[in-house]
Amino acid sequence: MNKEKLVIFDTTMRDGEQSPGASMTKAEKVRIAKALERMQVDVIEAGFAIASQGDFESIKAVAEAVTNSTVCSLARALEKDIECAADALKNAKVSRIHTFIATSPIHMQHKLKMQPDEVIAQAKKAVTLARSFTDDVEFSCEDAGRSEIDFLCRVIEIAIRAGAKTINIPDTVGYAMPEQFGLLIKTLIERIPNSDQAIFSVHCHNDLGLAVANSLSAVTNGARQVECTINGLGERAGNAALEEIVMAVRTRPDIFSVHTNLNCQHIVPTSRLVSGITGFAVQPNKAIVGANAFAHESGIHQDGVLKCRETYEIMRAEEVGWHANRMVLGKHSGRNAFKTRLNELGIVLDSDEKFHDAFVRFKELADKKHEIFDEDLQALISDAQKRSEDGSHFKLESLEVCSKTGVRPVASLTLLALGENLSAKAEGSGPVDAAFKAIEIIANSNATLQLYSVNAITEGTDSQGDVTVRLEKNGRIVNGSGADTDIVIASAKAYLDALNLIYTNKPKRHPHNGNI
Ligand code: KIV
Ligand code: ZN
């Protein structure tokens, strides 16, 4: 059967970044974008250009770094947003402007304070303006899941006439049910006279745990683009998970008459990259990318799998990139091998000094750990990028922890705090607690610890521990991360990373659904 293409639109760096604490730096966004490009994602939404200077710069950097995927910026249906998006995208090989306006009665009345006809006029103006910058314009009806069908048909027909090539139907608040959402897509395609001139897309949130089910139901009813994020990252309960959509379509060709372009072997490495950068750990039982997704514990299952894999396995772990982490380097590897592997991973360090610093740290790691995997390199580079970022208040200079049965652990540490070496000592209920208390003697941040988690980056007891620390101060939430073969050191690094984020006053982002 000749299958139609399902366009994969990744919004990890825009909607995903809207999760509290998931903000990414420009360098991190470029790394994620390169990973998405390697995976052959069709469209990468790199941010919301007008939201902040940081977002603008990141979209520009992604547009310059990516050649094979379309790079997209979000823009409200406003002149200044669209011009800003176009400016950020001007160096992209292929660009898309994604403009949106709310169409549900509740949003139009309370948020926009606009009449339906005014919304239609503004949508038309926005799409027309966006088309003056690029041929590839997407129009979204925000809160389409709760909009009236007759009104949706009117606004979409006009948006297509004004030149929108993709029409996106978001279930902004995650309210839809699969059957109903599928029917909505089918009805829109049937009723809108010029629907054949656009690709219908869906963008589902996961508030009721149905984002993937709703997206797939839309696909069976004619949607040919799905907006999704790696690991299902996103506001509140998140967005539809890219890996689940893609693997459902691939595993059930009997149900779905579409195919995607994705190179699925990059799914697990990209999932790990995103969780390492954002500090949002993947739950072990998460489909496709969770640590247990392919683990068979019960004797009956293990016996079955040994006799015939397909008894309990519907996909192969290797298909999605599990175990693809080759041993790449060791302590005898030289600068050239190190640089080559970084290039293969799409990591480019923009100065000799940064490269030298990363190489020294690689050698230190190789002394402690014989086999260096790709994940180790990614963690090492994340750490190096954090260190080289300007404005870091705190750096760990040294840490000593005394831990003994029957005695309360004591941590003694020295921090470089705004150029000055400061030392502190504290007891704690465990070594990590003692280290955090010692840091706080110096930092005195008054931040509240909301989450502490440790994961092994690779297998084996010599693995690096990947620690996430979430802090909250005055309503602002940040996620810090740190990696080291010593988990107490990794924890201290993660705590300091979170403090540095609190003290680096990043410009406040505009909420994406702010008043127009
Ligand atoms: O959830 C939503 O409605 C959005 C749109 C801006 C596409 O993210
Ligand atoms: Zn959204």
Side-chain angles (χ1 to χ4, degrees), residues 20 88 113 139 191 259 278 280 285 319 357 365 461:
K113 301 194 189 324
F139 172 71
R191 278 185 48 185
H259 71 92
T278 57
F280 277 59
N285 57 328
E319 241 183 293
D357 179 51
L365 180 62
T461 49

Side-chain angles (χ1 to χ4, degrees), residues 395-450:
K395 281 187 183 152
L396 182 66
E397 288 289 298
S398 66
L399 168 63
E400 192 185 316
V401 182
C402 187
S403 208
K404 202 169 155 191
T405 39
V407 178
R408 270 173 80 76
V410 177
S412 312
L413 54 75
T414 302
L415 302 183
L416 186 64
L418 284 177
E420 202 186 338
N421 266 337
L422 298 175
S423 300
K425 192 173 180 175
E427 273 187 19
S429 54
V432 172
D433 188 44
F436 288 2
K437 288 200 165 109
I439 292 174
E440 275 302 334
I441 290 175
I442 298 171
N444 196 16
S445 74
N446 279 325
T448 316
L449 180 69
Q450 288 201 332

Side-chain angles (χ1 to χ4, degrees), residues 11 15 24 101 119 139 141 159 298 317 332 336 440 457 505 507 516:
T11 183
D15 222 340
M24 305 160 200
I101 191 164
V119 168
F139 172 71
C141 310
S298 96
H332 299 297
N336 234 340
E440 275 302 334
I457 290 184
N505 250 337
I516 297 189

